[in-house]
Amino acid sequence: MSAPVSLPGDPPGGRRAAAMWGIGVAVYFVAVSFRTSLGVAGLDAADRFDVNASALSTFSIVQLLVYAGMQIPVGLMVDRWGTKKILTLGVVLFTVGQLGFALSPSYGTALAARALLGCGDAMTFIAVLRLGTRWFPARRGPLIAQVAALCGMAGNLVSTLVFARMLHGVGWTATFAGSSLAGVLVLVLLTLFLKDHPEGHAPAPAEHAGGAYVRKQIAASWREPGTRLGMWVHFTTQFPAMVFLLLWGMPFLVEAQGLSRVTAGELLTLVVLSSMALGLVFGQVIARRHEARGPLALGTVGATALLWAVTLAYPGDHAPMWLLITLCAVLGACGPASMIGFDFARPANPPHRQGTASGIVNMGGFTASMTTLLAVGLLLDATGDNYRIAFASVFVLEALGIVQILRLRKRTARRERDHLVASRVEAVHVPV
């Protein structure tokens, strides 16, 4: 299938669009850095709150449970109230959550702070995607989404480089409380400067809110096979790297592979750098050749499964460094591949349903991540910290996702051809 074409009424893009979108991306950058800060602080959190592996995983599980549960409500709110209001609320919540985590005196209050952070974090990415569709032409959609994700990975890079050093330099409270100032900064920027859309491109007035409107939005989005395929692509591709970066990568590399924290941090950084580089490649490829979406997604799943299988099955106590480096480089493809899910949902839904459809897609990967985080924690406790058995849970979810992707691919392709033909016919009949 050919790349998307510009349609009448498309936003013009340009420097002002880049500036507005850049403010939204800055919010997402800060949200991701807060989200992933626990990934380098997992061992410190276990000591600080005196908890085992299952309780430690609960931090990330609660955060992702709130995040995943908020995706459809956030999508509906973005469709209803626009980007600026939702981003503002999100920044307030995740900043308070980060500050609360810094000052928490007990495990229970820290858990509540991570839940609040997850709620605010949930409001960022869908709003940024919506901001991109309002300010840039449709043909830029795949690349804009990948660059937004790349900037989010840069936030992850801050966690692996800056947070880790600050944590062991100035301590827990100063690190997490000091980082919350970044939330205050982006709140000022979006309050003063952000606009939802360019002049002359205001969306049509939304329907009156209510149960019927909500059900209609969700049902119409779900009926589109592209939305469901996008959700399963996101489900299958995102979680292996998310679980590794969010919590279990550092313990696995230090406790199971015998590496120092410094070396383990460098490998986590490699995952992030690989993701940033591959994000640009994936975005350019998909913008030019939409038929590459399926092979890229399935290829990423296959490569990830293969590297995990080789690493976990490697004879001896520790895998060699070259294998761990290869594993981390391949895990970097998971984030860019998960963005392909939005490239299936975007052409399947009209502008007034983009937020809702994106929310459904975004639920996929975070549901899989939450499930795997819990499974790994429980299996570690049950097997006496046997990481080989615990990480084997990755293969179960990948198998489920592959089955669903293969089931929905052809149906989605047919629907996209129908939508493309209808759009071109409409373009021909639009008066100039």
Side-chain angles (χ1 to χ4, degrees), residues 16-42:
R16 188 157 183 259
M20 293 298 106
W21 179 74
I23 295 172
V25 167
V27 173
Y28 181 55
F29 171 91
V30 174
V32 172
S33 69
F34 287 5
R35 177 202 304 168
T36 57
S37 57
L38 185 60
V40 296

Side-chain angles (χ1 to χ4, degrees), residues 307-326:
L307 265 298
W308 263 122
V310 173
T311 302
L312 297 178
Y314 195 87
D317 293 335
H318 303 142
M321 181 57 69
W322 66 264
L323 182 55
L324 295 176
I325 290 173
T326 306

